[in-house]
Amino acid sequence: MAEAWIESVGKVRKLTARIIVISGIDGSGKSTIIEGVERVLLKAGHSTYTPWLRYNHYLTKGVFALAKLFGLYSYDIKNGKRVAGYHDFYRSRLISIMFVLSTFVDTLFASLVKVYIPAYVLRKTVICDRWVPDILIDIAIDTGKSSLEKDWVWKLMWKLVPNSAKALVIMRGTQDVLDSRKENRNSRNFDLRLSMYKQLCELVDGQTIDNSGSVSQSVNQVKEIVFS
């Protein structure tokens, strides 16, 4: 059954990107699409690597410790239990800047090990499960922004994405996202995060994957973008 939809994506042509970045809100269906794209690439004879790159906390752990010391965290309580935690770094400009810079350094190190070396030394096709676009949204929310924009933080972080990479945003109906990930219902930032992913679609030149249909349809959309 699985092979049937893999065949349905059609004849594979020349690959145009060695690095493919798949982004999207939790519940958008990224993992399923990545699995499908990887199977198509493997069937076509490409060697692949699929790192998960959202959280790369090395230097950032020190910033988290300082933020905790200064009380820059808040929590939602339900039935006497914490159901969600939040970084309130926007309450301190110094912590916000330290958070951005340490995140950049940590992401640079992780990118070297998990993206650049596999892609350019080992010659693999790297399918990034989250990466710079998702990290930018995390930074924007943690530092108190109400929208995603190409500010200095964007320009700094986007330097980590090679020009030849293909950055794709997975979008899905709001109700489907909520049904897929129940924890989204408990997040006070869900609506803001979803709006930022919609903004992201515009900021990455419209490379959007509509995941409201079947898996094969979504994978085929990716194929049309990353193959010539």
Side-chain angles (χ1 to χ4, degrees):
M1 182 66 70
E3 290 298 324
W5 67 257
I6 291 177
E7 292 292 348
S8 74
V9 299
K11 183 179 179 181
V12 176
R13 294 154 291 178
K14 182 180 178 182
L15 190 65
T16 60
R18 190 169 292 280
I19 298 173
I20 304 167
V21 187
I22 305 291
S23 299
I25 196 169
D26 289 339
S28 61
K30 295 182 304 302
S31 298
T32 303
I33 292 174
I34 288 172
E35 180 182 351
V37 172
E38 184 175 25
R39 294 178 70 177
V40 169
L41 289 169
L42 290 172
K43 190 174 181 65
H46 295 280
S47 178
T48 63
Y49 178 54
T50 57
W52 189 78
L53 293 156
R54 185 179 183 184
Y55 299 129
N56 311 290
H57 296 157
Y58 311 111
L59 291 178
T60 318
K61 288 183 178 179
V63 178
F64 289 161
L66 282 175
K68 188 173 183 179
L69 180 65
F70 293 129
L72 302 181
Y73 283 84
S74 61
Y75 304 91
D76 285 340
I77 307 297
K78 186 175 183 179
N79 297 325
K81 296 182 179 181
R82 291 179 180 177
V83 294
Y86 306 93
H87 298 151
D88 298 335
F89 299 160
Y90 62 88
R91 290 164 48 197
S92 168
R93 180 167 177 77
L94 176 60
I95 291 295
S96 292
I97 292 175
M98 291 175 63
F99 175 57
V100 170
L101 296 180
S102 62
T103 298
F104 173 77
V105 174
D106 288 349
T107 306
L108 172 61
F109 176 75
S111 301
L112 176 65
V113 175
K114 299 180 180 180
V115 181
Y116 308 144
I117 290 177
Y120 300 122
V121 178
L122 303 180
R123 309 301 292 175
K124 293 180 179 290
T125 300
V126 180
I127 309 172
C128 302
D129 185 354
R130 300 185 178 273
W131 192 24
V132 169
D134 301 273
I135 294 171
L136 277 166
I137 289 177
D138 289 339
I139 290 175
I141 290 175
D142 290 350
T143 56
K145 294 187 179 298
S146 59
S147 64
L148 193 64
E149 57 188 36
K150 290 188 175 182
D151 56 8
W152 71 272
V153 180
W154 175 286
K155 293 175 182 178
L156 177 67
M157 294 296 298
W158 207 262
K159 291 180 183 295
L160 301 176
V161 182
N163 291 332
S164 60
K166 296 292 184 181
L168 313 178
V169 185
I170 311 300
M171 294 300 295
R172 194 180 187 187
T174 303
Q175 191 59 50
D176 289 333
V177 171
L178 289 170
D179 291 342
S180 178
R181 289 293 184 90
K182 303 298 184 182
E183 59 268 28
N184 284 331
R185 299 178 185 274
N186 293 324
S187 175
R188 71 173 77 147
N189 289 329
F190 173 76
D191 290 337
L192 175 59
R193 189 176 293 275
L194 184 61
S195 71
M196 286 188 178
Y197 274 103
K198 292 177 180 178
Q199 294 163 24
L200 181 62
C201 294
E202 301 175 0
L203 295 173
V204 295
D205 301 323
Q207 299 294 289
T208 307
I209 304 302
D210 179 6
N211 193 31
S212 59
S214 66
V215 174
S216 61
Q217 290 172 331
S218 298
V219 173
N220 197 45
Q221 291 175 62
V222 177
K223 183 187 75 70
E224 290 302 317
I225 293 172
V226 301
F227 289 102
S228 62

